[in-house]
């Protein structure tokens, strides 16, 4: 794989950029692999990359039913932060944050990680108490965070409506300076390219239709491109996790819902940070192209159709206009829905299963993008060693039986 | 936007209703008699099907009564609506679902 650099850019400029090497191969599936990752989203590709890089397992296939970056990885609002309340979640997301901070260099691919800061607004005294508590918890875990009072907030984000005369007046915010955004497509492409260059086969248009198993062990998977054998199968399929679990005769504590994201027409730079509000329930940032990138809540009902309901659009827009009345005449350009698998405690499941050699990484719900590198890193460890890393030990499937839930509904930023 | 026919009020817009999740989940009659796994299955584990789903809806901005809906989770098409306590339109699925939950609780 050719390395991307200023020199390769200059060299390819001389040939009008017509001779760039393909970023990854398009191999046909082999009969057998040491490990199969089902799902070629960011988390699946990251898993394959870290399996190859950290654990020396390179005979891997990533099976993607559509195309790389066509699922939730390309359908989110690209926010990255690690300011979660509980130790288990905070440590997991902070691991991810540390990987983000060196990811472009590590992958030799510019994922456009921009630490422009993330504000989580508080609109009531109880919100502010929760924010104080969460910021204190973050700092005790070595994660940066500060509480910003509303006067300071009004100076930092000029068009944010900090008037006391609104329906839900803003009283302050938590601020994580190291938070920000990343280019979501580049994350998928960067991990795909880096994994491919370590020998991972990325097989697109290959839908898994069955999981073969015998005597409690995984044998392989049936796919639209034939049967593929492997004694280790990692499933990272977000909204479709329930469907894959059913293939293995299991059920999961998950429900699949559509989550929409919206972008406006491109406008001149107006918002240089990320603003999220739990109470009015919307979040917004501005991309480098100039579009406002907006997200809000899930559709309340179960759904696998990759689109969202109109009432949810209206709700999202009214939340954003409550915060930024100046955007009232900005026209929205595009809207799309991804299927998220929400978990009862708003935390993921990164776990072994009762079936030997079958692993699930799911339940990220509405906030999986920020965890992409860390999720892959701990899942690779779990698959390679057949036991979880200490960072994901608490995120086992068994927690729903033992009752050791990790309730992150507050810090997940979205009321499910 | 879904148009849902409340069995009491007739056809109304989706925004009048609240969603109540999977239907026909029966609370174990004697929670002390079952193990943690079976209790977890009742509390948290769901069928989450891609396709026909039997689910509960509440007409929260109307008559405030619960009822059941059979809806396809891919096309969102509603194929049947029936009152709580009534027999679901397709008994076949009923027995399938029961088999699945039995498998998990083993």
């Amino acid at each position: 794989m050719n390395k991307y650099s200023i020199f390769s850019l200059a060299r390819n400029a001389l040939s009008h950029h017509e001779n760039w090497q393909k970023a990854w191969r398009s191999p046909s599936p082999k009969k057998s692999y040491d490990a199969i990752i089902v799902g070629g989203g960011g988390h699946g590709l990251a898993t394959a990359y870290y399996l190859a890089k950290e654990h020396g397992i390179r005979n891997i296939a990533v099976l993607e039913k559509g195309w790389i970056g066509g699922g939730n990885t390309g359908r989110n609002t690209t926010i990255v932060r690690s300011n979660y309340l509980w130790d288990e979640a905070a440590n997991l997301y902070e691991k991810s944050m540390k990987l983000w901070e060196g990811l472009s260099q590590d992958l030799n691919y510019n994922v456009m990680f921009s630490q422009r800061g993330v504000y989580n607004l508080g609109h009531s005294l109880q919100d502010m108490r929760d924010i104080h508590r969460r910021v204190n918890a973050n700092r005790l875990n070595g994660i940066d965070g500060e509480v910003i009072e509303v006067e300071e907030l009004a100076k930092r984000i000029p068009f944010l409506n900090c008037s006391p005369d609104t329906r839900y007046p803003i009283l302050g915010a938590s601020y994580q300076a190291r938070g920000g955004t990343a280019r979501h497509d580049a994350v998928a492409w960067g991990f795909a390219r880096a994994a491919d260059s370590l020998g991972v086969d990325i097989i697109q248009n290959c839908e898994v239709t069955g999981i073969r198993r015998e005597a409690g062990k995984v044998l392989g998977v049936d796919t639209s491109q034939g049967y593929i054998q492997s004694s280790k199968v990692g499933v990272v399929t977000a909204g479709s996790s329930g469907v894959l679990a059913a293939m293995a005769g299991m059920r999961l504590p998950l429900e699949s819902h559509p989550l929409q994201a919206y972008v406006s027409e491109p406008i001149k730079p107006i918002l240089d940070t990320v603003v999220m509000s739990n109470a009015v329930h919307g979040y917004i940032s501005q991309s480098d192209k100039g579009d406002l990138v907006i997200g809000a809540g899930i559709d309340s009902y179960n759904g696998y159709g990759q689109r969202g309901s109109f009432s949810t659009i209206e709700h999202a827009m009214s939340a954003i206009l409550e915060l930024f009345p100046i955007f009232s005449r900005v026209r929205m350009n595009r809207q799309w829905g991804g299927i998220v698998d929400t978990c009862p405690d708003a935390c993921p499941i990164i776990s072994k299963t009762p079936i030997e050699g079958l692993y699930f990484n799911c339940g990220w719900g509405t906030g999986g993008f920020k965890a992409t590198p860390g999720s892959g890193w701990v899942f690779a460890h779990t698959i390679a060693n057949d036991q979880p890393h200490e960072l994901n030990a608490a995120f086992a499937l068994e927690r729903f039986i033992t009752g050791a839930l990790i309730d992150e509904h507050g810090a997940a930023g979205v009321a499910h | 936007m879904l148009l849902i026919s409340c069995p009491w009020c007739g056809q109304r817009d989706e925004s009048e209703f609240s969603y109540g999740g999977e239907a026909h989940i029966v609370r174990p009659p004697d929670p002390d008699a079952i193990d943690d796994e079976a209790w977890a299955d009742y509390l948290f584990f769901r069928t989450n099907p891609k396709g026909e789903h039997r689910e509960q809806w509440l007409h929260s901005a109307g008559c405030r009564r619960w009822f059941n809906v059979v809806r396809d989770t891919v096309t969102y098409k509603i194929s049947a609506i029936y009152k709580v306590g009534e027999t679901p339109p397709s008994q076949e699925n009923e027995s399938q679902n029961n088999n699945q939950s039995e498998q998990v609780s083993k």
Side-chain angles (χ1 to χ4, degrees):
Chain A
M1 183 63 65
N2 292 339
K3 197 170 156 57
Y4 290 158
S5 67
I6 183 78
F7 303 109
S8 70
L9 185 64
R11 201 165 47 243
N12 279 282
L14 295 175
S15 55
H16 305 283
H17 298 293
E18 284 172 356
N19 296 320
W20 284 102
Q21 192 183 11
K22 277 201 173 167
W24 57 83
R25 300 163 293 131
S26 297
S28 302
K30 290 190 266 185
K31 284 204 171 82
S32 155
Y33 287 93
D34 293 342
I36 289 175
I37 306 300
V38 183
H43 290 232
L45 293 165
T47 306
Y49 171 68
Y50 289 115
L51 268 173
K53 185 185 167 223
E54 308 271 341
H55 304 282
I57 301 175
R58 299 192 170 192
N59 184 26
I60 307 173
V62 176
L63 309 181
E64 166 57 44
K65 82 172 165 187
W67 67 95
I68 297 302
N72 291 357
T73 305
R75 293 167 182 265
N76 61 75
T77 52
T78 79
I79 297 169
V80 176
R81 60 189 174 89
S82 63
N83 54 354
Y84 280 70
L85 176 66
W86 300 105
D87 294 354
E88 296 86 349
N91 291 336
L92 179 64
Y93 288 101
E94 180 60 15
K95 170 69 191 174
S96 201
M97 179 65 88
K98 293 211 168 95
L99 290 170
W100 278 114
E101 287 174 331
L103 197 61
S104 291
Q105 285 74 23
D106 188 29
L107 299 179
N108 181 228
Y109 202 102
N110 185 5
V111 299
M112 296 166 74
F113 181 48
S114 160
Q115 292 179 296
R116 58 186 67 185
V118 173
Y119 292 89
N120 290 89
L121 303 179
H123 298 259
S124 67
L125 287 175
Q126 186 58 47
D127 276 2
M128 291 312 295
R129 287 185 200 111
D130 291 342
I131 281 172
H132 276 279
R133 181 187 179 203
R134 182 161 47 77
V135 166
N136 287 339
N138 291 158
R139 294 172 74 127
L140 287 169
N141 276 320
I143 297 166
D144 66 313
E146 47 187 309
V147 179
I148 309 290
E149 299 300 332
V150 65
E151 297 77 17
E152 173 68 15
L153 204 55
K155 282 184 215 151
R156 290 194 188 185
I157 311 172
F159 297 104
L160 182 66
N161 186 7
C162 292
S163 155
D165 296 329
T166 58
R167 188 171 176 192
Y168 302 107
I170 295 165
L171 302 185
S174 73
Y175 178 59
Q176 184 179 23
R178 287 158 68 237
T181 58
R183 170 87 199 277
H184 52 0
D185 298 318
V187 175
W189 299 332
F191 271 117
R193 177 173 172 271
D196 178 89
S197 70
L198 293 174
V200 173
D201 281 358
I202 296 166
I203 300 158
Q204 301 181 73
N205 299 309
C206 182
E207 182 171 5
V208 170
T209 53
I211 298 174
R212 288 199 204 171
R213 53 204 197 280
E214 194 179 73
K217 284 185 189 176
V218 153
L219 298 177
V221 292
D222 290 303
T223 75
S224 53
Q225 298 189 25
Y227 175 64
I228 309 173
Q229 198 186 332
S230 181
S231 59
K232 285 175 185 278
V233 174
V235 179
V236 204
T237 54
S240 297
S241 298
V243 177
L244 269 291
M247 289 177 196
M250 295 164 48
R251 293 205 305 169
L252 293 170
L254 299 177
E255 291 197 314
S256 296
H257 296 265
L259 174 68
Q260 299 181 75
Y262 321 86
V263 292
S264 75
E265 59 189 342
I267 56 176
K268 290 197 173 178
I270 190 167
L271 184 63
D272 64 355
T273 186
V274 181
V275 177
M276 313 180 70
S277 168
N278 249 354
V280 302
H281 203 180
Y283 33 98
I284 184 166
S285 62
Q286 188 173 21
S287 77
D288 293 346
K289 275 193 300 183
D291 347 341
L292 300 174
V293 182
I294 294 169
I298 55 174
D299 281 8
S300 65
Y301 45 80
N302 288 28
Y304 285 87
Q306 285 180 313
R307 58 192 185 277
S309 70
F310 291 114
S311 52
T312 309
I313 301 176
E314 192 176 355
H315 177 88
M317 295 309 139
S318 62
I320 293 307
L321 293 185
E322 170 85 12
L323 303 176
F324 293 96
I326 193 175
F327 294 150
S328 66
R329 280 173 293 150
V330 173
R331 279 167 298 191
M332 299 311 292
N333 223 358
R334 286 178 293 131
Q335 160 273 349
W336 59 93
I339 304 306
V340 299
D341 44 338
T342 58
C343 221
D345 59 355
C347 271
I349 298 164
I350 315 165
S351 180
K352 296 171 67 170
T353 66
I355 296 159
E356 196 181 322
L358 182 66
Y359 310 87
F360 266 84
N361 182 352
C362 57
W364 289 94
T366 57
F369 178 75
K370 65 174 83 68
T372 304
S375 161
W377 195 88
V378 295
F379 197 42
H381 182 102
T382 308
I383 293 173
N385 300 300
D386 194 37
Q387 60 179 21
H389 189 270
E390 62 179 33
L391 284 173
N392 68 311
F395 295 92
L397 196 50
E398 288 80 42
R399 76 177 188 269
F400 297 95
I401 295 164
T402 62
L405 303 185
I406 308 158
D407 183 3
E408 282 290 359
H409 281 286
V414 179
H416 291 292
Chain B
M1 185 72 76
L2 301 178
L3 278 176
I4 302 171
S5 288
C6 171
W8 289 277
C9 312
Q11 202 171 62
R12 301 293 177 88
D13 186 284
E14 139 192 354
S15 56
E16 285 193 17
F17 297 87
S18 311
Y19 185 63
E22 189 174 331
H24 306 294
I25 295 173
V26 180
R27 187 177 198 272
D30 183 5
D32 292 334
I34 58 171
D35 61 9
D36 289 349
E37 215 164 314
W39 187 245
D41 189 64
Y42 158 69
L43 275 186
F44 298 122
F45 285 68
R46 297 293 177 262
T47 313
N48 196 22
K50 187 175 187 175
E52 195 173 88
H53 189 223
R54 288 178 304 155
E55 54 195 23
Q56 312 173 99
W57 285 82
L58 169 68
H59 194 185
S60 45
C63 64
R64 300 180 56 80
R65 281 196 266 195
W66 287 94
F67 56 94
N68 295 323
V69 171
V70 182
R71 185 179 59 91
D72 187 298
T73 56
V74 180
T75 63
Y76 299 168
K77 190 176 174 356
I78 293 172
S79 55
I81 290 179
Y82 55 101
K83 292 180 184 172
V84 172
E86 285 179 1
T87 319
S90 77
Q91 277 292 342
E92 209 172 281
N93 292 328
E94 173 90 359
S95 58
Q96 253 174 22
N97 281 351
N98 284 344
N99 288 343
Q100 267 175 357
S101 46
E102 268 165 31
Q103 272 168 13
V104 171
S105 55
K106 265 172 201 166

